[in-house]
Amino acid sequence: MKLLLIYFFVLGFICIRDLFKVKNFDDYVVAGRKQSAPFVFMSLMATVLGASATVGIAARAESIGFAAFWWLAVGAIGFWFQAAFLSKPVHDLDVRTLPEIAEKTVGKTGRKLVALIIAVSWIGIIAAQFAAVAGFIGLVLGHDAGTQSVLITAVIVIVYTLLGGQLSVVRTDALQFGILTLGFFAAAVYLFGGFSGIENAAHSASFAASSSTVNSAGLATFGSFNLLNEKFGASDLAIMLFTIGGAYFLGPDVISRNLVAKDATSARKAVVAGSFAILAFSVIIVLLGMWAATYAPATAGSATNPLFRLASGVLPLPLAALLSVGLLSALLSSADTCLINSAAIFGSDILNTRRISVVRISVVVIGIIATYLALQGKDIIGLLTMAYSVYTPGIVAPLAVAIIAHKEFKVKKTLWYAGVIIGGLFGLIPAILASTAKMQSPAYLPLVGIAISLVFALASLKKK
């Protein structure tokens, strides 16, 4: 607990210091647009290694084995495509938010439409990050994540983001990325390097299994490194490649790292380096999840995440503390980035103002809405998938086409808007049915939306 207090004190000091350095809208929203490649890389990594890439992947590894690797692997593929096709043209547009890109390549209505879709879908991501941080704080406080943990999380993230904006986010991301890297890799070295007394852990797990019913999902897959299996097949990978990978290709959070870079070269270098780094992190996190499933399974009736179990009952105290702070760094660094980006979009693109005070008010309002959603207790992966399923079919393909082609082609706006709306509906309607009516739609519907929006976007192009 003392370590967490020290950690929050350091973050608070950085944010308060940056509060007095924020002089204008650019400082608050794009960190002055002057960050070098190493800082853009560290901020990008701290952003993408959030709830889905840590506690979410570890939980998936417990149920589907090494195939959980694909959650971040498709992100790496999205990064490669971003570096090849988008990094330079996006930075050269000299914008402050992703919807502003739509205005420069399509028109003002495109900016409003893209902003509205992002504003709706990304609240789900912020709620998921809140829920993940709350789970961690609940563990520290000694009880399951509940109202108290979620509210503590919301206050920390909202206040932290409110003070320094993007300028503080970039600065603290570097610190948080270093901590989470040390935490995860040190835990992996300890558990897989012969330092953990694995025989005793195996004996304890065997005894627990014989004396009580445990959640042993994933035990059979530990030691098997198949990228596809009976629980995660080629069709699942295809859906994930486009719905999740698309958000890494052209998502507001990852593109926001491009916008803080001092030039296009720095932005591209950061994305290329990030693509290989997240592959390494994916392997490490999956292996940690599989180890926990095998040697430290959850007890009956418990839903404690594998990484939380390692931090609270397996690793020695120094490593447990390091992994715990690393987990918290991963979760907070993603949450604050999503929150500041959503607030900037709401203020600049929907309310048409670049007043810092409006963006700060938006931080509070969006944070409160996300807190309410987090209190509903949704599954983290489910929340993220729902948000990605809304965003990717409606925006990624049409906006990517507009960015790549805007120098040589004009856009027939009616066709382009139709593609965005129809594609988005193929993601939004299944999400609504699943959330409200508990009706499961075919998993491939978002892919249909992506295909439709792409066809409409290509058809909308005409030579200048």
Side-chain angles (χ1 to χ4, degrees), residues 263-338:
D263 52 45
T265 300
S266 298
R268 186 176 183 276
K269 286 181 178 179
V271 172
V272 172
S275 67
F276 293 102
I278 61 174
L279 289 175
F281 270 96
S282 188
V283 172
I284 294 300
I285 295 169
V286 167
L287 290 179
L288 290 177
M290 294 170 69
W291 194 99
T294 304
Y295 300 111
T299 56
S302 172
T304 305
N305 186 270
L307 296 180
F308 295 169
R309 299 202 301 271
L310 293 179
S312 62
V314 174
L315 296 172
L317 184 59
L319 284 182
L322 187 58
L323 178 60
S324 296
V325 178
L327 274 169
L328 186 60
S329 296
L331 303 176
L332 285 178
S333 63
S334 186
D336 59 18
T337 299
C338 292

Side-chain angles (χ1 to χ4, degrees), residues 93 95 97-116 348-350 352 395 398-399 401-403 406 409-417 420 460-461 464:
L93 286 171
V95 298
T97 64
L98 190 144
E100 193 177 346
I101 296 174
E103 178 175 356
K104 290 201 171 185
T105 57
V106 180
K108 291 184 178 180
T109 304
R111 180 178 184 174
K112 295 294 185 184
L113 186 59
V114 171
L116 182 61
S348 177
D349 301 307
I350 295 179
N352 296 319
I395 294 179
L399 190 54
V401 169
I403 293 170
H406 85 279
F409 292 88
K410 293 182 179 180
V411 171
K412 297 178 183 178
K413 297 178 181 180
T414 303
L415 284 175
W416 194 89
Y417 296 149
V420 171
S460 73
L461 298 178
K464 289 183 177 180

Side-chain angles (χ1 to χ4, degrees), residues 20 22 79 97 111-112 118 122 131 151 157 266 326 377 387 389 437 441 459:
F20 298 100
V22 174
F79 276 174
T97 64
R111 180 178 184 174
K112 295 294 185 184
I118 293 174
W122 244 246
L151 292 178
V157 176
S266 298
S389 295
S441 303

Side-chain angles (χ1 to χ4, degrees), residues 6 66 82 106 111 126 131 141 157 184 195 199 221 225 227 274 287 300 314 328 334 341 343 359 407 411 424:
I6 294 172
F66 195 75
Q82 182 189 139
V106 180
R111 180 178 184 174
I126 298 169
L141 295 178
V157 176
F184 282 104
F195 303 103
E199 297 85 359
T221 62
F225 297 96
L227 291 173
L287 290 179
V314 174
L328 186 60
S334 186
N341 290 336
V359 180
K407 288 186 177 181
V411 171

